[in-house]
Amino acid sequence: MNKICKNIVLIAVLNFCVVNAQNYDGPEPYGPLPTERQLAWHNMEYYGFIHFNMNTFTNMEWGIGSENPAQFNPTQLDARQWAKIIKEAGMKGVIITAKHHDGFCLWPSKYTEHSVKNSPWKNGKGDVLKDLSEACAEYGLKMGVYLSPWDRNHADYGKPEYVTYFHNQLRELLTNYGDIFEVWFDGANGGSGYYGGANETRKIDNKTYYEWDKAIEIVRELQPNAVIFGDGGPDVRWVGNEEGWANETNWSLLERNKVYPGYPKYKELLSGHENGTHWVPAECDVSIRPGWYYHPSEDSQVRSLEHLVNIYYESVGRNASLLLNLPVDDRGLVHEKDTEQLMKLKRQIDKDFANNVAKDIKVSATNVRGDHSEFAAYNVNDGHEKSYWTTDNGVTTASITLSFDKPTEVNRILLQEYIALGQRVYEFTVEAKINGIWKLIDTQTTIGVKRILSFDLIEASEIRVNITGSKAEPIISNIELYRAPNLLTKPIINRDKNGMISMEVADKNIGIYYTLDGSEPLENSQKYEEPFNVNKPTTIKAISYNPENGEKTAVKEIYFDISKKDWQVLNGRAGNFKDAYRIIDDNPKSSWTSEASNTPNEVIIDLGKSYPLQGFTYMPVQGRWPVGIISEYEFLTSKDKTTWSTAATGEFANIKNNPIEQTVMFKRAKARYIKLKGVKIIDDDKRLSIGEIGVITK
Ligand code: FUL
């Protein structure tokens, strides 16, 4: 080889080495990055919220501030029970309402008398925060505190003195109860209150009044590892709803300086800001019941399994964390019904993610940074959180393919970006090779710390993820694939005014089988395919059946009397009675409430023809703030709507606390017209409300 040739070879080798050396370096971070404390918080993923405080004893959601500490009196308070349940539910921590807007403190703060120290609980010697911190230590949970900035009790609220008080309390909470993982500052600020007896409205400036810089400094000083939650962070942001879901497109980024407590454009928080200046990921807060606090009337309204599963997928599965609230009851315990649903959720999620079929299967990518093993495709399914697949500098679109040994069933994909270096991906697709042909499964936007997609069950030989848009080289640390079982839930059965019966279940792969003759339904009974008519008194019994494993639910039984197709509300006074048809539409969720001037407090219904009546049903208004519920009634019947006879009178016992359907039987009477009178209304309200009226003819 002559000298020139030798030099060319040398230059080529050197060049190769330079290129390789450059590519061998890890990718540069891109955009705002999470801090160490935020990274630790991302790992929390699913944790509990406990709303337990004065409101638990006054049956309120927002106390006024004038409550008497003597009202706080749990009889069986057991923070270990809370911690045990939370741990068993698979949660990693718990945040407690140390102080809510009414100002009552669950710990014996030395700065106020408005606390547990003046309550009968443990003769004023108790400290809920201490109990909980000990229980958390015992069960291996992290603890967080909710400290409401707004304080409707404090006489100085609105003045600088209160801000000092607020900061002092923050110090107490962050000093005396061990490690705190999150400090929760609520967005509700200012307004009317007791304020030491002033009973007035006090407005403050959310942005400046609380001296947030100082509050943040206190947290950093005393609990450097804690994240601070607020509408706009600074560390963790509210997701913009209290329903437990983030948008599919969800950036952990925020133009943080724009967002403040009470930010009016809070809907933006559902997605964050694609070009945000800071890392401020979303937390989805939601209660397991309609209310944040315990109300006996909501014992029948604990969220269904399908709802909770949805919440999980739409929070944890959409680059957010899930903060699920358990309203501890007035005994001081997590209610049995809440525990039951919580554990159902845990079992379902465990089943869904039981077996990662992508683990250690063959993976290849269209581009690997420097062709180096450190960045190779197989890092996405090696089980190591910190290893990842990434691409050469400037390569922002690429595909990664996972290949099974043999066609495999899947219906979930879980993807994770290596967020320590920033959130990057803004568009991707998932394809599956089914019987040798590539099929598009989904087109999506962001990934973030975790993205879970559900799709119809397929049997695929390969799965391909195409990163079609990324702000910088995509960095994917993890891909998992699952074959989740069908979601088996009891059928929901409805009838409309015309007598049409419809049935539904959460998962379309689950079959519904039913009987109309009172016999027990089995998987070979009549299969529900489409709505059908039931006008006569009938008991429907139905089960849900999972064909993939033969599992079935307990029987759902529901009785329908005559259908209401010919019924009419006769009071007929426009305005007031305009919506009264809702009480005979066979939809217990729709309701009618009269105007206050409605006298007499009664409704008259024409059944269309005469029936032998033996009883009636009254479904009170459902929902969170019902008014006009009847507590004492008179029920009358008539053949001609002129002469009425009383069929029954009485009380709907405990209907305020437990607003479920009431059934009253009486001596058989033939009649075409019925009248329900509200003799006494809950809270002496002037209005009358009805969710649904029915009759019993059998
Ligand atoms: C809200 C508060 O006003 C509610 O009472 C509850 O604490 C919820 C978690 O945050 O903004």
Side-chain angles (χ1 to χ4, degrees):
M1 206 187 283
N2 64 32
K3 211 173 164 195
I4 295 175
C5 282
K6 265 192 193 159
N7 275 347
I8 290 173
V9 170
L10 198 63
I11 289 166
V13 168
L14 278 179
N15 246 343
F16 175 77
C17 291
V18 167
V19 169
N20 224 22
Q22 180 214 327
N23 278 339
Y24 180 78
D25 286 343
E28 290 294 313
Y30 185 87
L33 301 179
T35 57
E36 279 302 315
R37 65 173 80 90
Q38 285 172 318
L39 281 174
W41 170 87
H42 276 291
N43 277 331
M44 297 291 292
E45 194 171 272
Y46 175 38
Y47 40 98
F49 213 177
I50 284 196
H51 273 66
F52 173 70
N53 205 305
M54 184 55 87
N55 292 332
T56 313
F57 301 89
T58 53
N59 205 14
M60 305 272 280
E61 279 288 304
W62 279 14
I64 310 293
S66 58
E67 296 77 15
N68 186 339
Q71 290 174 271
F72 183 88
N73 193 15
T75 47
Q76 301 173 46
L77 195 151
D78 181 5
R80 293 182 66 243
Q81 185 244 14
W82 314 349
K84 183 167 185 282
I85 288 167
I86 286 169
K87 183 73 184 185
E88 283 171 8
M91 296 172 166
K92 295 190 181 147
V94 56
I95 301 177
I96 179 149
T97 49
K99 182 181 86 167
H100 204 249
H101 312 329
D102 59 70
F104 187 78
C105 301
L106 290 184
W107 79 104
S109 169
K110 70 174 180 213
Y111 301 102
T112 180
E113 292 304 302
H114 199 55
S115 84
V116 282
K117 75 180 169 207
N118 286 314
S119 79
W121 176 61
K122 290 192 175 174
N123 294 320
K125 300 275 178 296
D127 182 343
V128 183
L129 271 285
K130 185 163 173 281
D131 287 4
L132 184 58
S133 73
E134 286 170 7
C136 284
E138 181 181 340
Y139 285 94
L141 295 168
K142 294 194 177 174
M143 185 166 103
V145 288
Y146 173 126
L147 181 69
S148 171
W150 184 24
D151 188 321
R152 300 172 105 184
N153 172 264
H154 205 279
D156 289 333
Y157 184 81
K159 298 190 202 142
E161 286 82 348
Y162 170 75
V163 180
T164 307
Y165 169 81
F166 173 56
H167 291 170
N168 282 339
Q169 290 203 316
L170 186 57
R171 282 193 168 276
E172 274 186 325
L173 286 174
L174 302 184
T175 308
N176 299 333
Y177 302 102
D179 283 346
I180 297 294
F181 84 96
E182 180 164 336
V183 179
W184 221 88
F185 291 127
D186 185 79
N189 280 284
S192 66
Y194 169 73
Y195 303 131
N199 288 314
E200 58 189 18
T201 295
R202 293 187 182 174
K203 292 227 164 73
I204 48 92
D205 180 345
N206 294 339
K207 285 188 219 162
T208 54
Y209 175 61
Y210 300 104
E211 298 181 33
W212 287 116
D213 287 353
K214 262 198 201 158
I216 292 168
E217 234 177 78
I218 293 171
V219 182
R220 300 294 189 237
E221 174 204 326
L222 299 171
Q223 297 280 347
N225 300 325
V227 288
I228 303 173
F229 167 96
D231 285 5
D235 302 321
V236 174
R237 73 172 197 267
W238 182 44
V239 77
N241 66 63
E242 294 186 349
E243 293 152 11
W245 58 279
N247 267 347
E248 290 190 313
T249 301
N250 183 14
W251 293 97
S252 289
L253 308 177
L254 200 67
E255 290 172 54
R256 192 169 73 183
N257 298 338
K258 255 179 52 181
V259 185
Y260 52 89
Y263 184 58
K265 295 199 223 154
Y266 61 89
K267 292 247 160 80
E268 292 173 10
L269 304 177
L270 284 157
S271 288
H273 296 139
E274 179 163 358
N275 296 313
T277 49
H278 292 82
W279 189 271
V280 192
E283 176 185 85
C284 297
D285 60 320
V286 61
S287 187
I288 197 159
R289 297 169 175 233
W292 289 102
Y293 280 96
Y294 178 75
H295 309 287
S297 64
E298 293 179 356
D299 283 352
S300 55
Q301 294 178 48
V302 183
R303 294 191 201 285
S304 64
L305 173 63
E306 49 267 48
H307 194 162
L308 291 171
V309 167
N310 259 343
I311 285 175
Y312 184 88
Y313 276 93
E314 293 183 358
S315 55
V316 173
R318 290 184 180 174
N319 188 33
S321 68
L322 172 56
L323 173 59
L324 180 60
N325 181 62
L326 304 171
V328 163
D329 66 20
D330 49 356
R331 295 170 301 175
L333 298 174
V334 176
H335 195 276
E336 294 75 355
K337 296 216 165 153
D338 299 337
T339 310
E340 189 185 331
Q341 291 309 94
L342 196 62
M343 296 309 162
K344 277 191 198 163
L345 172 65
K346 155 85 171 137
R347 285 193 293 273
Q348 188 65 39
I349 296 303
D350 282 355
K351 276 194 214 162
D352 284 9
F353 300 101
N355 180 23
N356 173 14
V357 294
K359 181 107 188 59
D360 293 329
I361 64 172
K362 218 176 106 221
V363 204
S364 61
T366 53
N367 181 293
V368 166
R369 189 176 183 82
D371 277 332
H372 199 283
S373 60
E374 194 179 341
F375 310 115
Y378 58 68
N379 289 304
V380 301
N381 65 343
D382 63 354
H384 293 296
E385 271 173 35
K386 292 207 165 137
S387 67
Y388 50 77
W389 161 65
T390 189
T391 54
D392 282 321
N393 280 346
V395 177
T396 54
T397 59
S399 299
I400 184 161
T401 307
L402 298 103
S403 312
F404 296 113
D405 288 345
K406 57 175 192 323
T408 301
E409 286 188 334
V410 277
N411 54 10
R412 302 280 188 279
I413 183 166
L414 183 155
L415 301 148
Q416 294 189 278
E417 279 185 85
Y418 186 73
I419 55 164
L421 295 176
Q423 187 182 351
R424 300 159 177 243
V425 176
Y426 60 82
E427 195 181 74
F428 69 100
T429 65
V430 178
E431 294 174 294
K433 200 176 198 179
I434 304 167
N435 294 327
I437 297 165
W438 282 105
K439 190 179 159 214
L440 180 66
I441 300 294
D442 207 344
T443 301
Q444 284 292 338
T445 53
T446 54
I447 296 178
V449 69
K450 189 175 277 188
R451 189 72 206 276
I452 305 171
L453 304 177
S454 305
F455 45 88
D456 284 346
L457 189 65
I458 49 169
E459 195 176 66
S461 54
E462 294 182 79
I463 298 286
R464 184 157 68 196
V465 178
N466 306 299
I467 307 294
T468 46
S470 184
K471 291 176 172 180
E473 304 78 37
I475 310 181
I476 306 296
S477 62
N478 190 29
I479 300 181
E480 298 174 11
L481 294 165
Y482 294 93
R483 192 277 188 231
N486 296 332
L487 178 58
L488 184 66
T489 51
K490 273 195 192 178
I492 298 171
I493 306 175
N494 286 308
R495 185 172 72 169
D496 71 10
K497 189 170 190 292
N498 295 319
M500 290 303 279
I501 301 280
S502 56
M503 304 191 195
E504 52 178 335
V505 275
D507 190 321
K508 63 178 186 320
N509 300 312
I510 295 290
I512 306 176
Y513 297 85
Y514 68 93
T515 62
L516 300 178
D517 60 4
S519 62
E520 289 310 287
L522 298 166
E523 56 275 25
N524 54 7
S525 302
Q526 180 73 41
K527 184 166 193 223
Y528 175 76
E529 308 278 5
E530 56 183 23
F532 57 91
N533 216 266
V534 165
N535 286 314
K536 288 196 308 244
T538 305
T539 296
I540 301 182
K541 291 187 179 178
I543 52 163
S544 301
Y545 174 78
N546 187 354
E548 68 190 12
N549 57 11
E551 271 181 41
K552 53 191 169 201
T553 60
V555 175
K556 167 81 176 246
E557 180 174 333
I558 185 163
Y559 171 76
F560 291 106
D561 208 284
I562 52 171
S563 79
K564 300 175 183 172
K565 67 179 167 45
D566 302 321
W567 292 25
Q568 268 185 68
V569 180
L570 291 186
N571 303 55
R573 282 182 292 166
N576 207 4
F577 279 86
K578 189 165 59 59
D579 298 324
Y581 67 89
R582 293 186 186 146
I583 70 178
I584 52 167
D585 62 356
D586 240 339
N587 175 5
K589 285 195 192 124
S590 73
S591 63
W592 164 80
T593 304
S594 75
E595 285 161 18
S597 58
N598 177 40
T599 46
N601 246 349
E602 62 184 32
V603 285
I604 302 170
I605 293 164
D606 176 1
L607 306 180
K609 65 180 200 202
S610 183
Y611 292 97
L613 304 181
Q614 305 198 61
F616 80 97
T617 58
Y618 167 66
M619 174 67 106
V621 175
Q622 302 296 291
R624 288 186 71 182
W625 310 113
V627 289
I629 292 184
I630 302 174
S631 59
E632 283 175 30
Y633 63 87
E634 180 179 1
F635 189 81
L636 303 98
T637 60
S638 169
K639 292 194 163 115
D640 54 11
K641 74 185 157 157
T642 319
T643 322
W644 291 93
S645 43
T646 301
T649 55
E651 180 192 28
F652 295 133
N654 197 30
I655 196 168
K656 181 174 178 179
N657 283 338
N658 194 14
I660 54 172
E661 187 175 58
Q662 311 286 313
T663 303
V664 176
M665 301 303 288
F666 49 76
K667 206 163 137 256
R668 193 180 160 100
K670 229 173 171 229
R672 170 167 172 176
Y673 303 93
I674 59 172
K675 188 192 280 187
L676 176 65
K677 271 193 188 176
V679 176
K680 206 163 188 308
I681 305 292
I682 296 265
D683 300 329
D684 289 325
D685 204 281
K686 295 275 174 292
R687 290 160 289 184
L688 166 75
S689 70
I690 299 174
E692 191 72 24
I693 289 187
V695 294
I696 295 171
T697 64
K698 225 177 102 172

